[in-house]
Amino acid sequence: MIAALGRIKRAVREAIGACGGVDGAGMTAGRSRSVAGDWNNLNHSAFPPLDCALALDEVAISRGDGTPILSALAAELGHVLYRLPEVQAGPSDLSTALIDACAEFGDISDAIRAALTDAKVCASDSTQITKQIDEAMQSLVRLRVVVNVLPSGE
């Protein structure tokens, strides 16, 4: 199995774990325990079809675990996923979302400044910078959602 498929297979195993194992995954996907067991087996070439992968990821989402299968597939294609928040917004929410996003960019700058005080970026510095970048991207996602849900004409 190529490395990319191995990474996706591990994500499938994570989603199966969120379902309580192969029994729960089989029931969730409407397949037998042995089929789900093949999906869970690192040495087996079987992967869940799209409808089953979506069902497994949906259980993971309900548990707060994100979308392991979808995220792994996106990562193999060089993409990152961010869940769109559910937002009802008015015009004042637009400025709040913009201010929040700008503040997150300031946090990135602070993390980089702190990392460069000793003239080298260590693993802990990198982790902190990445955390701030992720928070900024989440704030931009929220800003985008607010823009998209504004009533037309406002």
Side-chain angles (χ1 to χ4, degrees):
M1 181 178 301
I2 64 171
L5 291 179
R7 289 186 291 271
I8 295 168
K9 181 67 102 160
R10 284 188 289 284
V12 168
R13 289 171 53 93
E14 183 182 337
I16 288 171
C19 291
V22 293
D23 290 317
M27 290 177 64
T28 297
R31 300 297 198 276
S32 69
R33 179 189 198 285
S34 64
V35 168
D38 290 344
W39 299 337
N40 197 52
N41 185 342
L42 287 174
N43 296 315
H44 198 286
S45 62
F47 285 87
L50 185 56
D51 62 325
C52 297
L54 291 173
L56 297 176
D57 267 0
E58 189 172 1
V59 170
I61 290 169
S62 71
R63 292 173 38 100
D65 296 336
T67 54
I69 299 171
L70 181 60
S71 295
L73 291 170
E76 292 307 323
L77 296 171
H79 293 268
V80 177
L81 300 176
Y82 287 97
R83 183 174 173 97
L84 296 175
E86 294 181 25
V87 175
Q88 292 185 354
S92 65
D93 296 310
L94 183 59
S95 60
T96 300
L98 175 61
I99 291 166
D100 290 345
C102 291
E104 291 297 340
F105 282 104
D107 292 346
I108 294 170
S109 299
D110 289 343
I112 292 172
R113 182 181 302 118
L116 294 175
T117 57
D118 61 359
K120 61 181 177 181
V121 179
C122 66
S124 136
D125 294 332
S126 184
T127 299
Q128 185 60 27
I129 294 167
T130 301
K131 177 182 179 252
Q132 296 306 323
I133 290 170
D134 289 346
E135 289 177 7
M137 288 193 296
Q138 284 289 358
S139 69
L140 287 173
V141 167
R142 184 176 186 288
L143 176 59
R144 180 181 175 147
V145 170
V146 168
V147 168
N148 289 336
V149 300
L150 282 175
S152 58
E154 289 192 40

